[in-house]
Amino acid sequence: MAKKNETREFKVHDENTLLEYLYKVLDGYTKKKVKSLLVHGNILVNGKSVTQYNMPLKTGDTITVVFGHMVYETKGQVLPIIYEDHELIVINKPAGLLTVSTETEKGKTAYHMVREHVKKNNPREKVFIVHRLDRDTSGVLLFAKSLELKEQLQEHWNTVVKVRSYIAIVEGIDMPSKGTVVSYLKENRNKMVYSTNDTVNGKKAITHYKKMKEAKNYTLLEVQLETGRKNQIRVAMADLNHPIIGDKKYGSEKNPIGRLGLHAGKIMIQMPHTKKNLKFTVPTPEIFMKLFH
């Protein structure tokens, strides 16, 4: 049985109708429960919410089942909430969605969608940004429901975050099996982050990586952050002459998956007041793994 707010992903190998396929892959659930997931929009086919029970499926389709809340926006935008309690909301942010609006970009944001979700349940409740993911990075993103928790987490971020793990696809092969990049980062007027020898004004960044797979001139990495700096992984990989695919800003010339090859897969934090460790994990996008089949 899946846990509440867990997300599961399936790859279709045989043609079938949606409801019959769901009965097969969700064999631990009653037909009534499966129908309820479908009726309430918790079934996504190739990233879009579907409620049509007899929708024909094709080999290669991706079915996502969300066991819990999802936030909907116009034009089919879906924001999976993977965890929610009285203190935290944790989402699986899609690639292409801003965390929060910027001076130059004011479009729909993950923050806007989460805030609207919270206010539907309680108009007086608030939500606060704890950390950010780049617009084109997908994965685990946390929001606090109180200013106190937000400030506690941000003030002690490098202490309370016990694990912060990403999956990255970079250009090239023949990388070491593992390594660490230590650098000092600065940002110019054009919002470009770069490595510098200025250890006084530069912000120290420590990035660990481990090779998982390689194929077709690409390498799949697991990346662990010891520090959390803006564009840290993107700059570290570019400094190694292995830029993340789709990252034109930092020198990538290839984009075989049509998006940035960076995904925040796992985060574990220690709650400041209870000292309890909470771990949140989301699966690696299927499109990442297709390069290595």
Side-chain angles (χ1 to χ4, degrees):
M1 285 291 206
K3 297 178 181 178
K4 184 178 179 182
N5 296 317
E6 180 182 343
T7 299
R8 285 187 181 177
E9 192 173 273
F10 303 94
K11 204 71 175 174
V12 177
H13 298 292
D14 302 300
E15 293 185 359
N16 208 332
T17 57
L18 180 56
L19 186 58
E20 290 301 319
Y21 179 81
L22 292 172
Y23 286 157
K24 286 172 57 178
V25 296
L26 300 176
D27 57 358
Y29 290 84
T30 65
K31 290 188 175 182
K32 182 178 179 181
K33 175 62 176 175
V34 173
K35 287 180 180 178
S36 177
L37 288 168
L38 189 60
V39 168
H40 288 92
N42 285 49
I43 308 299
L44 282 69
V45 180
N46 299 325
K48 293 184 178 180
S49 178
V50 173
T51 57
Q52 179 187 347
Y53 74 92
N54 62 348
M55 177 183 178
L57 300 178
K58 304 184 300 295
T59 299
D61 284 343
T62 299
I63 309 299
T64 305
V65 183
V66 180
F67 299 90
H69 301 300
M70 289 199 294
V71 178
Y72 295 90
E73 195 49 86
T74 55
K75 298 181 180 179
Q77 179 70 70
V78 180
L79 193 66
I81 296 175
I82 61 172
Y83 179 84
E84 181 174 3
D85 62 17
H86 66 287
E87 293 184 296
L88 283 176
I89 294 184
V90 186
I91 68 168
N92 183 5
K93 187 188 85 65
L97 182 67
L98 286 166
T99 298
V100 63
S101 60
T102 65
E103 293 179 3
T104 55
E105 297 178 280
K106 304 291 184 181
K108 293 292 185 183
T109 66
Y111 169 72
H112 167 84
M113 295 171 70
V114 170
R115 185 185 64 186
E116 291 302 303
H117 162 73
V118 166
K119 286 186 175 296
K120 283 180 183 177
N121 296 326
N122 181 354
R124 298 170 61 182
E125 194 165 33
K126 296 182 180 180
V127 66
F128 300 88
I129 297 162
V130 175
H131 66 120
R132 302 185 187 191
L133 291 178
D134 294 341
R135 180 176 196 159
D136 296 319
T137 301
S138 56
V140 183
L141 184 63
L142 276 62
F143 295 87
K145 287 188 175 181
S146 71
L147 181 60
E148 179 185 8
L149 179 59
K150 173 212 169 187
E151 291 177 343
Q152 287 177 333
L153 291 174
Q154 288 184 336
E155 185 176 347
H156 305 288
W157 187 245
N158 287 335
T159 303
V160 298
V161 177
K162 303 303 181 183
V163 177
R164 197 174 181 191
S165 177
Y166 288 71
I167 300 297
I169 304 174
V170 299
E171 292 185 9
I173 56 175
D174 296 328
M175 294 182 69
S177 60
K178 61 182 179 179
T180 298
V181 180
V182 180
S183 56
Y184 291 83
L185 304 180
K186 294 178 75 173
E187 185 175 0
N188 63 24
R189 294 179 182 177
N190 297 320
K191 307 295 183 182
M192 185 81 171
V193 180
Y194 61 95
S195 296
T196 176
N197 293 323
D198 185 351
T199 59
V200 176
N201 298 306
K203 295 180 178 179
K204 190 175 185 179
I206 304 175
T207 309
H208 307 285
Y209 68 88
K210 180 172 66 175
K211 183 164 64 175
M212 298 172 68
K213 291 185 178 183
E214 62 180 30
K216 304 175 185 175
N217 298 316
Y218 304 114
T219 302
L220 185 71
L221 301 175
E222 180 182 14
V223 182
Q224 301 274 358
L225 294 185
E226 194 168 318
T227 56
R229 309 299 185 193
K230 180 180 178 180
N231 292 178
Q232 177 176 327
I233 299 174
R234 297 165 67 180
V235 176
M237 294 303 110
D239 286 348
L240 293 175
N241 294 316
H242 289 278
I244 294 173
I245 61 171
D247 196 2
K248 189 176 180 180
K249 181 177 180 180
Y250 290 104
S252 173
E253 298 177 350
K254 298 176 182 178
N255 191 1
I257 63 173
R259 56 157 289 187
L260 183 71
L262 187 60
H263 176 72
K266 183 189 305 180
I267 190 168
M268 184 168 73
I269 62 169
Q270 185 178 73
M271 295 298 284
H273 53 293
T274 64
K275 305 304 179 185
K276 181 181 178 180
N277 288 332
L278 298 179
K279 182 171 72 173
F280 307 105
T281 305
V282 293
T284 302
E286 185 73 23
I287 198 170
F288 278 40
M289 304 312 298
K290 282 183 177 180
L291 283 182
F292 301 93
H293 286 167

Short mmCIF file of all heavy atoms in Angstrom, two decimals, residues 75-103:
data_model
loop_
_atom_site.label_atom_id
_atom_site.label_comp_id
_atom_site.label_asym_id
_atom_site.label_seq_id
_atom_site.Cartn_x
_atom_site.Cartn_y
_atom_site.Cartn_z
N LYS A 75 -4.54 25.77 -17.56
CA LYS A 75 -3.75 25.16 -18.64
C LYS A 75 -3.14 23.82 -18.22
O LYS A 75 -2.06 23.44 -18.64
CB LYS A 75 -2.65 26.11 -19.11
CG LYS A 75 -3.18 27.42 -19.70
CD LYS A 75 -2.05 28.31 -20.19
CE LYS A 75 -2.62 29.60 -20.76
NZ LYS A 75 -1.56 30.53 -21.22
N GLY A 76 -3.86 23.12 -17.32
CA GLY A 76 -3.45 21.77 -16.98
C GLY A 76 -2.27 21.66 -16.04
O GLY A 76 -1.75 20.57 -15.83
N GLN A 77 -1.81 22.77 -15.48
CA GLN A 77 -0.66 22.71 -14.58
C GLN A 77 -1.03 21.97 -13.30
O GLN A 77 -2.01 22.31 -12.64
CB GLN A 77 -0.18 24.12 -14.23
CG GLN A 77 1.01 24.17 -13.27
CD GLN A 77 2.28 23.69 -13.92
OE1 GLN A 77 2.84 24.33 -14.78
NE2 GLN A 77 2.75 22.53 -13.49
N VAL A 78 -0.26 20.96 -12.95
CA VAL A 78 -0.52 20.17 -11.76
C VAL A 78 0.69 20.25 -10.84
O VAL A 78 1.83 20.14 -11.28
CB VAL A 78 -0.79 18.69 -12.13
CG1 VAL A 78 -1.04 17.87 -10.88
CG2 VAL A 78 -1.97 18.59 -13.08
N LEU A 79 0.43 20.44 -9.57
CA LEU A 79 1.50 20.56 -8.59
C LEU A 79 1.31 19.47 -7.53
O LEU A 79 0.46 19.61 -6.65
CB LEU A 79 1.46 21.95 -7.94
CG LEU A 79 2.66 22.38 -7.12
CD1 LEU A 79 3.88 22.53 -8.01
CD2 LEU A 79 2.37 23.71 -6.43
N PRO A 80 2.05 18.37 -7.60
CA PRO A 80 1.86 17.30 -6.62
C PRO A 80 2.37 17.70 -5.23
O PRO A 80 3.51 18.13 -5.09
CB PRO A 80 2.70 16.15 -7.18
CG PRO A 80 2.96 16.50 -8.61
CD PRO A 80 2.99 17.99 -8.66
N ILE A 81 1.51 17.55 -4.25
CA ILE A 81 1.90 17.76 -2.85
C ILE A 81 2.25 16.39 -2.28
O ILE A 81 1.39 15.51 -2.18
CB ILE A 81 0.77 18.41 -2.04
CG1 ILE A 81 0.47 19.82 -2.58
CG2 ILE A 81 1.12 18.48 -0.56
CD1 ILE A 81 -0.71 20.50 -1.93
N ILE A 82 3.51 16.20 -1.93
CA ILE A 82 3.94 14.88 -1.47
C ILE A 82 3.86 14.73 0.06
O ILE A 82 3.92 13.62 0.58
CB ILE A 82 5.36 14.53 -1.96
CG1 ILE A 82 6.39 15.53 -1.42
CG2 ILE A 82 5.40 14.51 -3.48
CD1 ILE A 82 7.83 15.14 -1.72
N TYR A 83 3.72 15.88 0.76
CA TYR A 83 3.59 15.82 2.22
C TYR A 83 2.96 17.12 2.71
O TYR A 83 3.27 18.20 2.19
CB TYR A 83 4.96 15.64 2.87
CG TYR A 83 4.91 15.58 4.39
CD1 TYR A 83 4.62 14.38 5.05
CD2 TYR A 83 5.13 16.72 5.15
CE1 TYR A 83 4.57 14.33 6.43
CE2 TYR A 83 5.07 16.67 6.54
CZ TYR A 83 4.79 15.47 7.18
OH TYR A 83 4.73 15.42 8.55
N GLU A 84 2.07 16.99 3.69
CA GLU A 84 1.50 18.19 4.30
C GLU A 84 1.07 17.87 5.72
O GLU A 84 0.42 16.86 5.98
CB GLU A 84 0.30 18.70 3.50
CG GLU A 84 -0.32 19.97 4.09
CD GLU A 84 -1.42 20.58 3.24
OE1 GLU A 84 -1.77 19.98 2.19
OE2 GLU A 84 -1.93 21.63 3.62
N ASP A 85 1.46 18.74 6.66
CA ASP A 85 0.94 18.68 8.02
C ASP A 85 0.71 20.11 8.50
O ASP A 85 0.64 21.03 7.69
CB ASP A 85 1.88 17.88 8.94
CG ASP A 85 3.26 18.50 9.09
OD1 ASP A 85 3.43 19.70 8.75
OD2 ASP A 85 4.19 17.79 9.55
N HIS A 86 0.61 20.32 9.81
CA HIS A 86 0.30 21.65 10.32
C HIS A 86 1.49 22.60 10.25
O HIS A 86 1.33 23.80 10.48
CB HIS A 86 -0.19 21.55 11.77
CG HIS A 86 0.85 21.06 12.73
ND1 HIS A 86 1.27 19.75 12.77
CD2 HIS A 86 1.58 21.72 13.68
CE1 HIS A 86 2.19 19.61 13.70
NE2 HIS A 86 2.41 20.79 14.27
N GLU A 87 2.68 22.07 9.89
CA GLU A 87 3.88 22.90 9.87
C GLU A 87 4.49 23.06 8.47
O GLU A 87 5.07 24.10 8.16
CB GLU A 87 4.96 22.30 10.77
CG GLU A 87 4.62 22.32 12.24
CD GLU A 87 5.79 21.80 13.07
OE1 GLU A 87 6.14 20.61 12.91
OE2 GLU A 87 6.35 22.58 13.84
N LEU A 88 4.38 22.02 7.65
CA LEU A 88 5.11 21.98 6.39
C LEU A 88 4.20 21.60 5.23
O LEU A 88 3.23 20.87 5.40
CB LEU A 88 6.23 20.93 6.44
CG LEU A 88 7.53 21.23 7.17
CD1 LEU A 88 8.40 19.99 7.15
CD2 LEU A 88 8.27 22.40 6.52
N ILE A 89 4.56 22.09 4.05
CA ILE A 89 4.05 21.56 2.79
C ILE A 89 5.27 21.25 1.93
O ILE A 89 6.17 22.08 1.79
CB ILE A 89 3.14 22.56 2.06
CG1 ILE A 89 1.86 22.81 2.85
CG2 ILE A 89 2.79 22.03 0.67
CD1 ILE A 89 0.88 23.71 2.14
N VAL A 90 5.30 20.04 1.36
CA VAL A 90 6.41 19.63 0.51
C VAL A 90 5.83 19.24 -0.84
O VAL A 90 4.90 18.44 -0.91
CB VAL A 90 7.19 18.45 1.12
CG1 VAL A 90 8.43 18.13 0.28
CG2 VAL A 90 7.59 18.77 2.57
N ILE A 91 6.39 19.80 -1.91
CA ILE A 91 5.87 19.53 -3.26
C ILE A 91 6.96 18.92 -4.14
O ILE A 91 8.15 19.00 -3.83
CB ILE A 91 5.32 20.80 -3.92
CG1 ILE A 91 6.47 21.78 -4.24
CG2 ILE A 91 4.26 21.46 -3.06
CD1 ILE A 91 6.07 22.93 -5.15
N ASN A 92 6.52 18.33 -5.23
CA ASN A 92 7.41 17.88 -6.30
C ASN A 92 7.28 18.90 -7.42
O ASN A 92 6.39 18.80 -8.27
CB ASN A 92 7.02 16.48 -6.77
CG ASN A 92 7.95 15.93 -7.84
OD1 ASN A 92 8.97 16.55 -8.18
ND2 ASN A 92 7.61 14.77 -8.37
N LYS A 93 8.15 19.92 -7.41
CA LYS A 93 8.03 21.02 -8.36
C LYS A 93 8.35 20.57 -9.78
O LYS A 93 9.40 19.97 -10.01
CB LYS A 93 8.96 22.18 -7.98
CG LYS A 93 8.75 23.43 -8.84
CD LYS A 93 9.80 24.49 -8.59
CE LYS A 93 11.06 24.27 -9.39
NZ LYS A 93 10.87 24.41 -10.86
N PRO A 94 7.47 20.87 -10.74
CA PRO A 94 7.79 20.53 -12.13
C PRO A 94 8.88 21.44 -12.69
O PRO A 94 9.03 22.60 -12.25
CB PRO A 94 6.46 20.78 -12.87
CG PRO A 94 5.42 20.95 -11.81
CD PRO A 94 6.13 21.45 -10.59
N ALA A 95 9.62 20.96 -13.66
CA ALA A 95 10.57 21.81 -14.38
C ALA A 95 9.80 22.87 -15.15
O ALA A 95 8.70 22.63 -15.64
CB ALA A 95 11.40 20.97 -15.35
N GLY A 96 10.36 24.08 -15.21
CA GLY A 96 9.73 25.17 -15.94
C GLY A 96 8.87 26.08 -15.09
O GLY A 96 8.37 27.10 -15.57
N LEU A 97 8.68 25.73 -13.82
CA LEU A 97 7.85 26.53 -12.92
C LEU A 97 8.74 27.29 -11.94
O LEU A 97 9.58 26.71 -11.27
CB LEU A 97 6.90 25.62 -12.13
CG LEU A 97 5.92 26.30 -11.18
CD1 LEU A 97 4.90 27.14 -11.95
CD2 LEU A 97 5.21 25.26 -10.31
N LEU A 98 8.56 28.61 -11.88
CA LEU A 98 9.31 29.42 -10.92
C LEU A 98 8.93 29.03 -9.50
O LEU A 98 7.77 28.72 -9.22
CB LEU A 98 8.99 30.90 -11.12
CG LEU A 98 9.59 31.62 -12.33
CD1 LEU A 98 8.90 32.96 -12.53
CD2 LEU A 98 11.08 31.84 -12.13
N THR A 99 9.90 29.08 -8.58
CA THR A 99 9.58 28.92 -7.17
C THR A 99 8.81 30.12 -6.68
O THR A 99 7.78 30.01 -6.01
CB THR A 99 10.87 28.74 -6.33
OG1 THR A 99 11.54 27.55 -6.76
CG2 THR A 99 10.54 28.62 -4.85
N VAL A 100 9.31 31.32 -7.00
CA VAL A 100 8.71 32.58 -6.58
C VAL A 100 8.98 33.60 -7.68
O VAL A 100 9.94 33.47 -8.44
CB VAL A 100 9.30 33.04 -5.23
CG1 VAL A 100 10.79 33.32 -5.33
CG2 VAL A 100 8.55 34.24 -4.66
N SER A 101 8.13 34.61 -7.78
CA SER A 101 8.32 35.62 -8.82
C SER A 101 9.60 36.41 -8.58
O SER A 101 10.08 36.54 -7.45
CB SER A 101 7.12 36.57 -8.88
OG SER A 101 6.95 37.23 -7.65
N THR A 102 10.18 36.92 -9.66
CA THR A 102 11.40 37.72 -9.59
C THR A 102 11.13 39.11 -10.14
O THR A 102 10.02 39.41 -10.59
CB THR A 102 12.52 37.06 -10.41
OG1 THR A 102 12.15 37.08 -11.80
CG2 THR A 102 12.74 35.62 -9.98
N GLU A 103 12.15 39.96 -10.12
CA GLU A 103 11.98 41.32 -10.64
C GLU A 103 11.64 41.31 -12.12
O GLU A 103 10.93 42.18 -12.61
CB GLU A 103 13.28 42.13 -10.42
CG GLU A 103 13.58 42.40 -8.95
CD GLU A 103 14.88 43.17 -8.78
OE1 GLU A 103 15.50 43.52 -9.80
OE2 GLU A 103 15.26 43.42 -7.62
#
